[in-house]
Amino acid sequence: MTTRWSRKDLLGLRELSVDEINLVLDTADAFKQVGTREIKKVPALRGKTLVNFFVEPSTRTRTSFELAAFRLSADVINISAATSSLSKGETLKDTAKILEANHVDIIVLRHGSAGAAQFLAERVRSSVINAGDGAHEHPTQGLLDTYTIREKKKRIEGLNVAIIGDILFSRVARSNIFALTKLGARVTLVGPSTLLPRDFEKLGVTISYDIDEVLPTADVVNLLRIQHERQRKEYFPGIGEYIKLFGLTKERAKLLKPDCLIMHPGPINRGVEIDSELADGNQSVILDQVTNGLAVRMAVLYLCGGIAA
Amino acid sequence: MNEKKTNTSSERSILVMDAAAIRRALRRIAHEIVERNPDLQQIVLAGIPSRGNEIARRIADTISAIEKVSVPVGTIDVAMHRDDVGTRTELPVVRASTLPLPLEKRAVIIVDDVLFTGRTVRAAMDAITSFGRPAKIQLAVLIDRGHRELPIRADYVGKNLPTAPDEKVRLRLGEEESTEGVWLVKQ
């Protein structure tokens, strides 16, 4: 590991080099081990303050960042849209400047608009970690998915990874595509044509509208949540039809290789993207993703927040 | 590791230990560890990456040669336990620590190449106690160069080397004995 981390912020995976991605994954390996200790806490970020600034609701990502910060001995406060002055009309930039004036070192931002994290990062000295910006990127999810695949399969290069579902509105899909293609995986996107425009081919992936054709050769299937909150009627065929055409049912799962990993970023719509029993089955690594998310977020906070401002 | 020996006009390096001297010092440390720890089954050598690991392996090999017991060798990462992360412009690389568990009845012997300010050892003790509460912690170093900033001393020392604060101690350990040695580098 000779790569040096020189980024104040983590805004997306598109701009990261292969070495930088590997550095985060290797650093996460070291931090994952901390979770097995009797005292699951190290002083690496002692004295640093982190703000979880979640303008869009989230429980798992926010909790994961909060736990990651605790385990690094940073102090954490949580701000949600409802409790912040954003609801009184304060701009994002002003709220961020207020946080900075309070000597906050790291801002973890979840926001409904693509580019919000970058907007902020350019305007404050604090580190900004993108925890999801609209349909743009969700870098720590992309990293933890990549980490989980690498942990289980011992490699990324040459693997067939199918990302299935609501691609158009998915920041998780985008971050996964950037990380996995950089590391040499063959990524195939599968979904209804309304949610999977041909444009995505420009990112170096294959596009398919037939799930049954993709499943037999997949080493990993990553099922995305149908984002009901972002859908408009005309994009979506209806739940029954979606399950019939793209849902991972028990019947369809028989097409999978026995060692194919089943992933889902959560929260799961049980019985829609994935059959409930499959989500809890022995091919599922959904809970490993959660555990690894903590280690990956510790690594990201350590790398971005650790160097002197 | 594997720092180049530079001989620029402003720098002078003096060989203070050759391969044979290193071997003899580590053999003596191994004997002292045996002498002071009657229950050898309970000791574990915890090397601080990366040269502490190599030194710990050599000491463990010597102990198993003289006492016919195999001594576990672990790694103790100090990077994430340092108290100066935030004040540095370059981040230390973090590694996973591995120690045989549980530690409760064990004597953990921290092994490092050079003892200087004592801050690394302080961080190592913090790291070890996050795994449990060992019966005792001891410290073995190849070189003690002085200038402690914390109340820490080594239990086993290969060589006491008086230095000035601005001097450097350079150590090379490798596959080939002919290239091994410890040098004192004066600016």
Side-chain angles (χ1 to χ4, degrees):
Chain A
M1 270 195 284
T2 50
T3 321
R4 295 270 172 241
W5 187 266
S6 55
R7 293 177 185 275
K8 160 175 100 70
D9 314 298
L10 179 69
L11 306 176
L13 300 185
R14 179 174 230 159
E15 59 263 29
L16 293 198
S17 69
V18 170
D19 286 347
E20 285 174 314
I21 293 173
N22 282 324
L23 176 64
V24 178
L25 303 184
D26 293 342
T27 305
D29 262 337
F31 283 119
K32 184 167 183 182
Q33 189 272 325
V34 173
T36 66
R37 297 184 191 179
E38 203 168 290
I39 296 169
K40 298 168 181 55
K41 191 164 177 156
V42 296
L45 293 185
R46 192 167 60 187
K48 301 267 181 183
T49 308
L50 177 144
V51 171
N52 262 328
F53 189 11
F54 278 62
V55 182
E56 264 192 346
S58 155
T59 308
R60 71 179 58 213
T61 305
R62 193 193 45 109
T63 308
S64 182
F65 270 110
E66 195 169 348
L67 276 172
F70 283 153
R71 291 201 174 169
L72 293 169
S73 306
D75 298 305
V76 183
I77 56 169
N78 290 300
I79 301 176
S80 64
T83 60
S84 80
S85 289
L86 287 180
S87 59
K88 297 177 192 163
E90 188 176 75
T91 65
L92 177 62
K93 183 186 162 191
D94 281 337
T95 307
K97 283 285 176 194
I98 302 293
L99 292 175
E100 187 170 49
N102 280 312
H103 302 294
V104 165
D105 301 289
I106 305 170
I107 301 172
V108 177
L109 180 70
R110 158 73 58 97
H111 198 280
S113 301
Q118 183 173 349
F119 174 87
L120 207 61
E122 286 166 358
R123 284 161 182 81
V124 296
R125 282 186 315 271
S126 320
S127 289
V128 176
I129 314 291
N130 182 3
D133 58 335
H136 176 230
E137 280 222 48
H138 190 352
T140 56
Q141 181 73 42
L143 289 166
L144 76 90
D145 289 343
T146 307
Y147 181 90
T148 304
I149 297 170
R150 189 179 85 159
E151 180 183 57
K152 301 289 172 189
K153 294 284 186 187
K154 310 292 175 215
R155 69 191 168 109
I156 300 290
E157 200 170 354
L159 292 180
N160 292 318
V161 180
I163 302 175
I164 300 165
D166 175 1
I167 310 287
L168 181 61
F169 293 99
S170 176
R171 52 195 174 213
V172 176
R174 275 175 189 75
S175 290
N176 264 279
I177 291 166
F178 295 132
L180 291 170
T181 54
K182 277 173 209 263
L183 298 182
R186 287 188 291 268
V187 177
T188 305
L189 307 179
V190 186
S193 56
T194 47
L195 296 174
L196 178 49
R198 282 272 166 204
D199 265 10
F200 274 89
E201 282 177 344
K202 289 180 194 149
L203 301 179
V205 299
T206 309
I207 282 178
S208 170
Y209 301 113
D210 180 1
I211 187 172
D212 295 334
E213 178 191 281
V214 174
L215 293 183
T217 54
D219 298 299
V220 177
V221 292
N222 198 347
L223 301 149
L224 302 179
R225 186 174 64 91
I226 297 302
Q227 310 212 33
H228 298 294
E229 71 274 22
R230 283 186 228 281
Q231 299 292 356
R232 278 179 299 160
K233 255 203 181 111
E234 56 267 36
Y235 287 113
F236 195 69
I239 294 216
E241 196 181 344
Y242 183 85
I243 297 170
K244 195 163 150 243
L245 290 172
F246 297 103
L248 188 64
T249 57
K250 264 185 275 188
E251 195 53 41
R252 203 164 254 150
K254 290 175 187 158
L255 296 170
L256 293 173
K257 292 199 262 186
D259 64 345
C260 176
L261 305 178
I262 298 176
M263 307 178 74
H264 193 299
I268 306 173
N269 297 311
R270 281 179 185 267
V272 182
E273 306 99 42
I274 180 167
D275 175 84
S276 190
E277 275 179 46
L278 289 173
D280 305 323
N282 52 16
Q283 280 178 278
S284 163
V285 293
I286 295 172
L287 292 177
D288 297 271
Q289 288 173 269
V290 177
T291 306
N292 292 338
L294 185 50
V296 164
R297 292 188 174 107
M298 286 173 80
V300 167
L301 294 180
Y302 174 76
L303 291 170
C304 291
I307 36 177
Chain B
M1 210 166 165
N2 293 327
E3 276 176 294
K4 288 262 158 50
K5 200 173 110 187
T6 49
N7 275 316
T8 53
S9 54
S10 63
E11 216 179 80
R12 211 153 46 87
S13 65
I14 304 156
L15 180 71
V16 290
M17 281 180 109
D18 60 10
I22 293 173
R23 194 171 56 240
R24 280 193 292 270
L26 296 183
R27 198 185 303 148
R28 178 172 48 74
I29 289 176
H31 278 281
E32 286 174 0
I33 289 173
V34 171
E35 199 174 31
R36 277 201 242 163
N37 293 278
D39 193 357
L40 280 177
Q41 303 294 340
Q42 294 294 359
I43 67 169
V44 49
L45 300 182
I48 295 175
S50 54
R51 273 172 293 201
N53 291 125
E54 174 57 24
I55 294 170
R57 267 192 296 277
R58 291 184 187 192
I59 294 173
D61 288 347
T62 311
I63 293 175
S64 65
I66 54 184
E67 288 294 314
K68 310 285 178 260
V69 291
S70 99
V71 175
V73 177
T75 292
I76 196 75
D77 174 76
V78 294
M80 59 178 87
H81 288 270
R82 297 190 66 108
D83 57 9
D84 60 352
V85 169
T87 65
R88 296 155 66 104
T89 49
E90 208 170 79
L91 269 180
V93 172
V94 293
R95 296 178 179 81
S97 296
T98 52
L99 287 175
L101 297 174
L103 291 180
E104 270 52 32
K105 290 187 177 142
R106 291 189 182 266
V108 180
I109 302 171
I110 299 170
V111 182
D112 203 2
D113 52 358
V114 179
L115 178 59
F116 185 23
T117 61
R119 290 182 189 270
T120 301
V121 176
R122 201 271 315 149
M125 287 193 283
D126 273 1
I128 289 166
T129 50
S130 75
F131 283 87
R133 188 174 180 275
K136 52 186 169 184
I137 299 179
Q138 300 174 342
L139 173 62
V141 296
L142 181 59
I143 302 286
D144 181 351
R145 62 165 295 185
H147 307 289
R148 219 76 74 236
E149 293 169 2
L150 295 171
I152 281 170
R153 61 160 181 78
D155 300 272
Y156 313 100
V157 180
K159 186 179 179 66
N160 282 297
L161 182 63
T163 60
D166 60 341
E167 288 169 336
K168 285 181 187 154
V169 176
R170 204 160 274 168
L171 191 99
R172 199 184 294 158
L173 293 175
E175 297 290 306
E176 286 184 46
E177 279 217 334
S178 59
T179 64
E180 291 194 348
V182 179
W183 291 265
L184 182 63
V185 183
K186 294 174 186 284
Q187 297 294 334

